[in-house]
Amino acid sequence: MSLSAIQPLALAIAATGLLASATPGQVFVDASDKVPNTGSYTDEIDFADVDRDGDWDAMLADGGEVGNDQNRLYVNQGNLQGGPIGTFLDATAAQLPVVADNSADVEFVDFDGDGDPDSYTANAADIINQA
C-alpha cells in the first residue's frame, strides 16, 4: 500500500469508529501506524460485518490504475474473536480467491438473499486488458 493510500485508509477506518469510539470528550488519533503496509496501491475500501459478529470488517480493492494486485480482506478482531475492536487480521488467503487484477472498487451487497454480505469488485481496464 502506498504511503498516500495509508493515511486516507487510516482516516476512513477511524471515521467509522473502528479504531476509536466517538463519545463526547474523545478525539480521533492518527492510527496510520496500525494499518499494514502491504506494498499495494489501494483504490477503494468498503466495510461490512463479514463474520457476522457485530463489528465491521474491511475489504480493499487493490491494483487500480497501477497494475495487477491481490485484493485484501481484514477481519476485525473485536467482539466474538475476543480482541480489541479496531485490530484487524489479514484473512485474504483464507477467504478470497487468489486473483491478481487491477480492482478499482469493492462493494458489499447480499446478492443471494441469505443475510450475509457478498462482495462485488469492479476492475479498471485502462492499462491491462481484463474481463
Side-chain angles (χ1 to χ4, degrees), residues 36-54:
N37 186 352
T38 63
S40 297
Y41 181 85
T42 299
D43 247 27
E44 180 70 23
I45 184 170
D46 199 13
F47 299 93
D49 188 7
V50 173
D51 56 3
R52 302 176 74 180
D53 69 345

Side-chain angles (χ1 to χ4, degrees), residues 6-72:
I6 290 174
Q7 290 173 336
L9 174 59
L11 293 175
I13 291 171
T16 64
L18 294 173
L19 294 180
S21 59
T23 57
Q26 286 187 326
V27 296
F28 289 107
V29 296
D30 180 0
S32 58
D33 61 326
K34 302 211 183 302
V35 177
N37 186 352
T38 63
S40 297
Y41 181 85
T42 299
D43 247 27
E44 180 70 23
I45 184 170
D46 199 13
F47 299 93
D49 188 7
V50 173
D51 56 3
R52 302 176 74 180
D53 69 345
D55 55 26
W56 282 12
D57 309 301
M59 186 164 167
L60 286 64
D62 283 354
E65 296 299 325
V66 176
N68 288 343
D69 201 352
Q70 170 74 46
N71 294 327
R72 303 196 191 287

